[in-house]
């Protein structure tokens, strides 16, 4: 019972001393300590183990106990002192609180006294300043009254003077007085409720109306609509009247300008009527010469009459342009059948020259047409005038080098008058587009004729395969058309021109490039009767001559140049055309056509070299490998393969020096074609003795080294082969070496042989294994047990891969595909 009571006491004590983490953290911050006894997670057992880590340390247990007892006594003394010190704290606190309350009451009384005194002071100040505020208000009202009376006096006198001067047509004095009267009248807007003020305002408005009608009448008298110009020229009265019109309603000014310009261009409408000979496009120069004379005549006679800010010369020119555009549109619609390309281009050239003349002389600040406004910031468009100044010769030179410039950021337009007249020619640009279509057709026909007459390009091993000169000529002509059409229009005609470009790019790819690729009996990749007959007779498959190889490389280089330049041409077209039409510019189909030509050219080169190596591989498969008695140098068929590679590859590499990536593609495609074919013929070498397998392994290694060196074979400059190509060769030829190593291994014991096969060939399967057994010359009875053992030893495919295994079985391997082709060939030979 005593022990249970002690345990309960200890548990209650621990529960009382259990502090929250927040309290424990606060204690540690106030009383930091490194003593283990002060830690919240104190463990007596661990502490004792720390004091007595070993049995020998128990010898000084008495000293440790004495130290702990001494520490306990000190803690008891400290606790006793603190408890005694807290005896009088409550009484002292209550006394301090009472003193604080008394001090607060005294402070509150003082604040109340200060507030009362402040209110009394404020009341006293208001009484002192009341009279001063009244005087200030009186002074301000008096000043306002005097100013208003002065303005009223000025307004009344000004209105009287204005009416008198208007009757006497003293426009010079009226111009100065009217502005002052209107400024004074603005001060009386808040007094319009007073009848006298309202009456003065109405008199001012009446005077303005009278002035406007009087000035219009004076101009009508000076410049009658149906008469001739007044011989005496402009008068000072009209010059002053223009100053007054600047102040009046803007409609008065616009009416004056409209009537003057209409009267000034009346002669032009008569001289260049639709039924006149000078109105046709061939005499369009006379229109612009007439307006230039009129501008000179205006400057001499009327230059000082109108204010400079009216820009009358520019307004006359702009109105002339609008009238000319309308008249030209009418006459071209009526005589559309008479428009020829040269005549149209002549008229457009003269018109754009005139627009350039206007841009040099005027700023374009008077353009009010919604489509022809002076732009302060560059618009998001690709107007041809927004590019850097480059001469056509420089552009053609850049095009010949395949350096069509990239799109530039548009800058502020230099010619705000562009299209103000020439816009009328846009509906008739189909004549120009049809002409370019015809010219390009003739150009393509000339290219075809020249190619037939001159023949294929000469072999070249110095600067790489030559690009056909017709290619550069074609794109130079495209560049000329593009620059010329962009100056004529950046709208629908540019889209039509793009369609023409697409048509003739396809024709060039078909007639010049694809049409001149050498033809072979097996170029289509399928079987033909002639190829089978030749093989049956033992003759070699027809191969390309040196000139034909150079021609293929030249066509490939040309197609590569066309592909890159067509892409740049598309970017240039999108830069020139209006932003809303950029989505309709797409030359992807034509670029795909040139890519197809490149692929066909590479395939022809691969087939030619592949066909050259076929007899050697056939000879390899027909050699009696079971009779080989010793391993010597590389076999004759290897020498033959290497000879063909050394003959073809340097020629192809030198002629494709300018297009290294496509030479790399050629190497990769050849490796992908030759290696599976080599492995297929390797399986046909049966039976093979141990020495024969060693000789084949040596030959395979020789071919592997030659293939690894293929990209730089026969070259004075040795370059490292591309990693992608090296990976293909190493993977394919290593598989061939592993097959031969399996053939060389003894087939007994069976388990070791099968395990060795699974280890050496990662893509092991029963079909390949049976081919290896055939190469070893094993009988079918022996093979069956080994195949059964292989099926047992093959690792089971992981779950979820049934679909993929099914697909792999459905897709034939290169060896299976080649075997099927050979079977088909034999079948056709028998039937023949």
């Amino acid at each position: 019972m005593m022990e249970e009571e002690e345990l309960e006491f200890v548990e209650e004590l621990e529960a009382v001393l259990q502090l929250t983490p927040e309290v424990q953290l606060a204690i540690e911050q106030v009383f930091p300590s490194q003593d283990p006894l002060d830690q919240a997670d104190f463990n007596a057992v661990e502490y004792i183990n720390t004091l007595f880590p070993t049995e020998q340390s128990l010898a000084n247990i008495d000293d440790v106990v004495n130290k702990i007892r001494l520490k306990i006594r000190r803690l008891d003394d400290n606790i006793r002192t603190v408890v005694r010190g807290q005896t009088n704290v409550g009484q002292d606190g209550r006394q301090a609180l009472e003193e604080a309350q008394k001090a607060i009451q005294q402070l509150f009384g003082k604040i109340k006294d200060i507030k009362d005194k402040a209110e009394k002071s404020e009341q006293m100040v208001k009484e002192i300043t009341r009279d001063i505020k009244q005087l200030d208000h009186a002074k301000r009202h008096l000043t306002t009254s005097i100013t208003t009376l002065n303005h009223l006096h000025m307004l009344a006198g000004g209105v009287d003077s204005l009416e008198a001067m208007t009757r006497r047509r003293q426009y010079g004095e009226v111009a100065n007085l009217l502005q002052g009267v209107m400024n004074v009248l603005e001060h009386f807007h808040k007094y319009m409720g007073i009848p006298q003020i309202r009456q003065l305002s109405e008199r001012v408005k009446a005077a303005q109306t009278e002035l406007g009608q009087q000035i219009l009448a004076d101009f009508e008298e000076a410049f009658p609509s149906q008469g001739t110009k007044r011989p005496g020229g402009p008068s000072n009265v009209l010059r002053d009247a223009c100053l007054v019109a600047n102040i009046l309603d803007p409609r008065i000014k616009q009416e004056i300008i409209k009537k003057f310009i209409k009267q000034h261009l009346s002669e032009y409408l008569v001289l260049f009527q639709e039924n006149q000979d000078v109105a046709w496009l061939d005499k369009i120069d006379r229109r612009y010469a007439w307006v230039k004379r009129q501008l000179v005549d205006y400057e001499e006679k009327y230059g000082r009459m109108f204010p400079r800010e009216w820009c009358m010369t520019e307004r006359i020119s702009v109105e002339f342009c609008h009238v000319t555009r309308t008249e030209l549109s009418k006459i071209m619609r009526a005589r559309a059948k008479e428009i020829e390309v040269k005549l149209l281009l002549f008229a457009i050239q003269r018109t754009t020259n005139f627009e350039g003349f206007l841009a040099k002389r005027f700023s374009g600040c008077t353009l009010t047409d919604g489509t022809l406004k002076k732009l302060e910031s560059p618009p998001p468009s690709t107007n041809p005038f927004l590019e850097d100044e480059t001469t056509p010769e420089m552009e053609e030179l850049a095009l010949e080098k395949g350096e069509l410039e990239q799109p530039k950021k548009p800058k502020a337009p230099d010619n705000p008058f562009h299209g103000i007249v020439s816009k009328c020619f846009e509906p008739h640009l189909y004549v120009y587009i049809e002409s370019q279509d015809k010219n390009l057709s003739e150009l393509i026909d000339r290219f075809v004729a020249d190619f037939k007459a001159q023949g294929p390009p000469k072999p070249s091993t110095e600067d790489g395969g030559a690009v056909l000169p017709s290619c550069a000529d074609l794109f130079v002509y495209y560049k000329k058309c593009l620059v010329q059409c962009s100056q004529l229009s950046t709208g629908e005609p540019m889209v039509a021109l793009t369609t023409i470009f697409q048509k003739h790019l396809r024709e060039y790819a078909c007639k010049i490039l694809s049409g001149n690729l050498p033809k072979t009996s097996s170029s289509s990749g399928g079987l033909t009767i002639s190829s089978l007959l030749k093989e049956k007779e033992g003759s070699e498959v027809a191969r390309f001559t040196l000139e034909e190889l150079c021609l293929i490389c030249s066509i490939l280089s040309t197609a590569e140049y066309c592909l890159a330049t067509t892409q740049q041409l598309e970017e240039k077209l999108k830069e020139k055309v209006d932003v809303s039409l950029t989505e309709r510019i797409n030359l992807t189909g034509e670029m795909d056509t040139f890519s197809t030509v490149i692929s066909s050219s590479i395939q022809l080169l691969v087939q030619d070299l592949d066909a050259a190596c076929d007899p050697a591989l056939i000879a390899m498969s027909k050699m009696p490998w079971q009779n080989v008695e010793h391993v010597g140098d590389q076999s004759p068929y290897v020498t033959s393969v290497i000879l063909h590679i050394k003959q073809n590859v340097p020629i192809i590499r030198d002629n494709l020096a300018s297009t290294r990536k496509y030479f790399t593609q050629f190497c990769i495609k050849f490796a992908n074609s030759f290696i599976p074919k080599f492995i297929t013929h390797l399986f046909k070498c049966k039976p093979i003795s141990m020495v024969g397998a060693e000789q084949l392994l040596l030959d395979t290694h020789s071919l592997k080294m030659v293939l690894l060196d293929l990209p730089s074979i026969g070259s004075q400059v040795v370059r490292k082969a591309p990693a992608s190509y090296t990976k293909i060769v190493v993977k394919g030829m290593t598989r061939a070496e592993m097959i031969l190593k399996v053939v060389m291994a003894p087939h007994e014991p069976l388990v070791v042989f099968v395990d060795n096969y699974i280890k050496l060939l990662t893509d092991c399967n029963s079909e390949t294994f049976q081919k290896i057994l055939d190469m070893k010359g094993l009988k079918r009875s022996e093979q069956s047990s080994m195949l059964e053992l292989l099926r047992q030893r093959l690792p089971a495919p992981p779950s979820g891969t049934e679909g993929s295994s099914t697909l792999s079985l459905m897709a034939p391997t290169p060896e299976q595909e080649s075997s099927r082709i050979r079977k088909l060939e034999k079948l056709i030979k028998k039937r023949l």
Side-chain angles (χ1 to χ4, degrees), residues 87-264:
T87 305
N88 299 326
V89 170
Q91 185 177 355
D92 294 342
R94 285 192 294 273
Q95 185 177 354
L97 179 60
E98 292 175 358
E99 292 176 357
Q101 289 176 347
K102 292 178 181 179
I104 290 172
Q105 289 177 357
Q106 292 175 2
L107 180 61
F108 181 74
K110 290 180 181 179
I111 291 173
K112 186 175 181 182
D113 294 340
I114 292 172
K115 182 179 179 182
D116 294 339
K117 291 178 181 179
E119 291 176 354
K120 293 178 181 179
S121 300
E122 184 179 359
Q123 187 64 28
M124 187 181 300
V125 169
K126 286 182 178 180
E127 292 176 359
I128 293 172
T129 59
R130 184 182 297 115
D131 297 336
I132 297 175
K133 288 183 178 179
Q134 290 178 354
L135 291 174
D136 285 342
H137 288 309
K139 179 183 177 181
R140 185 164 58 253
H141 294 160
L142 184 60
T143 302
T144 303
S145 300
I146 293 172
T147 304
T148 303
L149 288 173
N150 288 334
H151 287 163
L152 182 59
H153 176 71
M154 294 169 59
L155 181 61
V159 171
D160 293 338
S161 301
L162 182 63
E163 292 174 346
M165 291 176 183
T166 300
R167 288 191 294 271
R168 293 195 296 269
R169 284 182 165 77
Q170 295 176 346
Y171 296 131
E173 291 78 1
V174 168
N176 297 325
L177 180 60
L178 180 59
Q179 187 63 54
V181 170
M182 294 177 66
N183 292 337
V184 172
L185 188 60
E186 291 179 359
H187 294 281
F188 290 94
H189 282 321
K190 55 185 175 180
Y191 303 116
M192 287 300 172
I194 302 174
Q196 291 80 1
I197 301 299
R198 187 167 59 250
Q199 183 180 4
L200 286 174
S201 177
E202 292 173 355
R203 288 176 62 188
V204 171
K205 292 181 181 178
Q208 289 178 324
T209 304
E210 184 180 354
L211 275 171
Q213 294 175 352
Q214 190 169 296
I215 290 172
L216 289 176
D218 291 344
F219 269 93
E220 183 66 28
E221 182 181 353
F223 305 104
S225 301
Q226 298 179 352
T228 58
K229 299 176 185 176
R230 195 169 64 176
S235 64
N236 293 332
V237 174
L238 295 180
R239 182 183 61 190
D240 295 339
C242 291
L243 298 177
V244 176
N246 259 342
I247 306 171
L248 296 174
D249 189 341
R251 288 178 293 182
I252 303 297
K253 170 184 170 182
Q254 296 297 331
E255 189 68 21
I256 293 172
I257 294 173
K258 181 179 178 181
K259 288 186 176 181
F260 179 81
I261 294 177
K262 182 178 180 181
Q263 191 273 340
H264 212 69

Side-chain angles (χ1 to χ4, degrees), residues 314-327:
E314 181 176 330
R315 292 181 185 276
I316 293 172
S317 302
V318 170
E319 184 61 25
F320 166 81
C321 291
H322 292 323
V323 172
T324 302
R325 184 174 63 186
T326 303
E327 294 297 320

Side-chain angles (χ1 to χ4, degrees), residues 266-277:
S266 58
E267 180 185 351
Y268 172 72
L269 293 173
V270 174
L271 291 176
F272 294 91
Q273 287 183 0
E274 188 176 347
N275 56 0
Q276 300 294 327
D277 292 339

Side-chain angles (χ1 to χ4, degrees), residues 645-646 649-651 653-654 709-718:
I645 290 176
K646 287 184 177 180
V649 174
I651 297 173
R653 182 184 60 245
D654 294 340
D709 192 43
L710 181 70
S712 59
I713 194 169
S715 174
Q716 297 178 354
V717 180
V718 179

